[in-house]
Amino acid sequence: MLERLEAHLKVTANMRGTSAEEVAERVLSQPSLSGLQGPTVSPVFSNRNGSATADYYAIVICVPKQASPLQICSAAEDVIGGSGVLISPLTYIFDEETPRWRQLLLNLGL
């Protein structure tokens, strides 16, 4: 139940870049977009002249829901150069230990 209280948004965007590492560095340079543990970066392949090329990379991050979708979209587009930004609610995140669980145990003296 605590996972439902830890509301987050899933953000997916495409970014032009030279490598997954370069795209990840741009995302990580913005604390509001760094996600829970960092971005997932995957190549987006297109068919150019008969061969698969990856000029774009898809990023997926999870951010706290208190962040405004408009602020997230603006930062993703304007600051790090993302396009086609998708934002959707996450129902559950099963982490090793949620902050609310840790705080509950602390409050109970356990």
Side-chain angles (χ1 to χ4, degrees):
M1 178 150 79
L2 289 174
E3 282 78 9
R4 291 235 1 144
L5 298 173
E6 294 290 328
H8 287 82
L9 298 171
K10 177 181 175 183
V11 179
T12 305
N14 286 343
M15 293 177 60
R16 188 180 293 272
T18 57
S19 69
E21 291 79 10
E22 183 257 330
V23 168
E25 286 175 10
R26 274 195 285 157
V27 174
L28 291 170
S29 73
Q30 296 301 310
S32 64
L33 296 176
S34 294
L36 295 175
Q37 295 175 327
T40 300
V41 182
S42 305
V44 176
F45 291 97
S46 59
N47 188 354
R48 299 245 171 91
N49 301 324
S51 64
T53 59
D55 297 335
Y56 282 89
Y57 292 84
I59 63 160
V60 178
I61 56 174
C62 299
V63 296
K65 195 171 189 172
Q66 57 264 41
S68 153
L70 189 57
Q71 290 172 326
I72 295 167
C73 189
S74 177
E77 288 181 340
D78 299 338
V79 179
I80 62 172
S83 65
V85 179
L86 306 173
I87 300 174
S88 57
L90 284 172
T91 304
Y92 298 100
I93 294 180
F94 296 101
D95 209 350
E96 291 176 43
E97 183 178 76
T98 65
R100 283 190 191 270
W101 177 253
R102 198 174 316 120
Q103 187 62 46
L104 177 62
L105 292 177
L106 184 66
N107 290 346
L108 294 173
L110 301 173

